[in-house]
Amino acid sequence: VSLANVYRQTDRARDALAVLDLCLREGSDDPSVAWEAALAAYHADQFESLLTYLDRHDALLPDQPWAGYYRAMGLLELGRPAEAVDALGVEADRNPDSEFGVEVLRACAAAALGQPDAFRAHAEAVLAVRWSTIDTFTRAGVKNLAGRLWKAAAVLPPGDPLVPRLEERLTLTGL
């Protein structure tokens, strides 16, 4: 993990992932190695690997917060929104701190499933949150979620009144 951190700090993210992957292949049973590999895979857009590393992490240290969140992100990226919904249910049960992100990703899953009414319900829940109070996500994390929400809003029909409300929130927050 320390060597992977050095690689990450020197813009060698793929090398960081390679080191962590090698450790896991050689039999490491340290859950932090699997977790760091999962995060590195996420940042490298290697979503199949992300799921593999999360499986390993869950086997070593089950029922941990944020694992379902990242699993849902990977599943959405892989075009598996129904499975993402299941992962988000698990995350919501484990981690009340992830509520904002879970709602955004539920909206994205609903959009991917072609369910505009479900998208609308989840987007309304997201808009009900005062975004300045969000302290469990980094600025980059909120920006990422906002971008996903905006793209998912394409499921709404033209002229839907929710679209300008989303646009206004994103504009006011600088996202």
Side-chain angles (χ1 to χ4, degrees):
V1 171
S2 295
L3 180 56
N5 286 335
V6 168
Y7 281 141
R8 265 195 298 275
Q9 293 170 1
T10 57
D11 293 327
R12 295 174 59 188
R14 294 214 182 265
D15 291 333
L17 182 55
V19 164
L20 296 165
D21 184 76
L22 181 62
C23 287
L24 292 168
R25 289 179 191 274
E26 292 295 320
S28 173
D29 60 358
D30 183 347
S32 68
V33 173
W35 181 252
E36 291 298 324
L39 294 180
Y42 170 76
H43 290 293
D45 296 334
Q46 295 184 12
F47 301 109
E48 286 289 350
S49 297
L50 165 67
L51 298 178
T52 300
Y53 298 134
L54 286 173
D55 288 343
R56 179 77 174 135
H57 178 263
D58 289 348
L60 295 169
L61 193 63
D63 303 324
Q64 292 302 298
W66 299 105
Y69 173 81
Y70 283 103
R71 182 175 303 281
M73 293 279 250
L75 291 166
L76 285 170
E77 290 292 335
L78 292 170
R80 296 161 52 186
E83 293 174 73
V85 170
D86 294 338
L88 291 166
V90 170
E91 182 64 26
D93 290 343
R94 287 183 192 162
N95 186 5
D97 289 340
S98 68
E99 182 179 2
F100 176 78
V102 165
E103 279 303 312
V104 170
L105 295 181
R106 282 180 171 157
C108 294
L113 291 167
Q115 301 170 342
D117 292 336
F119 171 84
R120 192 175 288 103
H122 294 297
E124 289 288 355
V126 170
L127 288 175
V129 174
R130 187 170 176 190
W131 290 20
S132 63
T133 65
I134 299 167
D135 60 0
T136 55
F137 291 89
T138 64
R139 183 173 176 86
V142 173
K143 181 181 176 185
N144 178 290
L145 289 168
R148 288 173 182 274
L149 184 64
W150 180 248
K151 287 178 188 171
V155 74
L156 296 173
D160 191 292
L162 182 57
V163 174
R165 291 179 51 224
L166 279 172
E167 185 176 29
E168 179 182 27
R169 175 65 62 92
L170 296 175
T171 301
L172 290 174
T173 59
L175 299 172

